Amino acid sequence: AARGEDSVPTQAGGGADAAVELLAAIESDEEFELQWRTFDQIYPGSEALWVARVNRCIKNKAFGLAVELIDSHDFGEDLDELVLLTKADLLYNARATERAGEIFDRLIENYPERRDIRINYAKRLFAEGLLTKVHALLAPIRDDFSEGLKGPSLWDNVHALHGLLGRLDAWRVAVVQ
């Protein structure tokens, strides 16, 4: 059943963020679309609502539609190039990993001091098993991690696995010869 007017969040009642929470709870795609359009009229141009729509496409494995939405969206990178991090994240989730990687690489080149960008990208690559690339990505910032953060453990794991695989590869070559 469609949600009634009394459940529509208003500016005073949580705004677009509350609308996004309500959208996330909707199971029916038809109801989601109906509610999304309603919220889009109430909160025109809301980035959070737009991201909710893209994430819904990704959840439904409608990756092509998700990429179309991403490509047609003005992220405002003319004003702040760092908003491209959102674009890279969404593209990665929509399985456009090569395009996302190009954006991550550009952001890392332009903002080498931003550990968060490197760690975000490294976690994605690590999940794909691209250990050598993750190692190269984290090596320049390995000494910059603060204690108690997840970064050091990620680096420790990557470095240990990279070293282990290097030793195994060397052992394999020695055995074959």
Side-chain angles (χ1 to χ4, degrees), residues 144-155:
D144 296 338
F145 292 117
S146 300
E147 287 297 318
L149 296 178
K150 291 184 180 181
S153 63
L154 176 63
W155 167 253

Side-chain angles (χ1 to χ4, degrees), residues 50-93:
W50 178 82
V51 168
R53 189 171 195 202
V54 172
N55 282 332
R56 181 64 172 228
C57 292
I58 293 167
K59 176 184 172 191
N60 290 339
K61 299 191 184 334
F63 301 123
L65 179 56
V67 170
E68 284 179 31
L69 289 170
I70 295 164
D71 286 343
S72 66
H73 186 69
D74 178 11
F75 283 86
E77 61 263 26
D78 299 346
L79 302 174
D80 181 7
E81 189 180 41
L82 287 174
V83 298
L84 289 177
L85 188 53
T86 299
K87 183 175 185 175
D89 282 335
L90 290 170
L91 283 169
Y92 218 96
N93 292 341

Side-chain angles (χ1 to χ4, degrees), residues 134-152:
V134 174
H135 192 271
L137 197 58
L138 294 178
I141 61 168
R142 68 180 176 263
D143 295 330
D144 296 338
F145 292 117
S146 300
E147 287 297 318
L149 296 178
K150 291 184 180 181

Side-chain angles (χ1 to χ4, degrees), residues 118-147:
R118 286 179 183 269
I119 292 171
N120 183 332
Y121 190 29
K123 286 178 182 179
R124 292 172 179 281
L125 294 173
F126 186 78
E128 288 185 37
L130 300 172
L131 194 58
T132 300
K133 187 161 184 171
V134 174
H135 192 271
L137 197 58
L138 294 178
I141 61 168
R142 68 180 176 263
D143 295 330
D144 296 338
F145 292 117
S146 300
E147 287 297 318

Side-chain angles (χ1 to χ4, degrees), residues 16-17 20 36 45-53:
D17 290 338
V20 168
W36 186 88
S46 165
E47 191 78 8
L49 279 175
W50 178 82
V51 168
R53 189 171 195 202

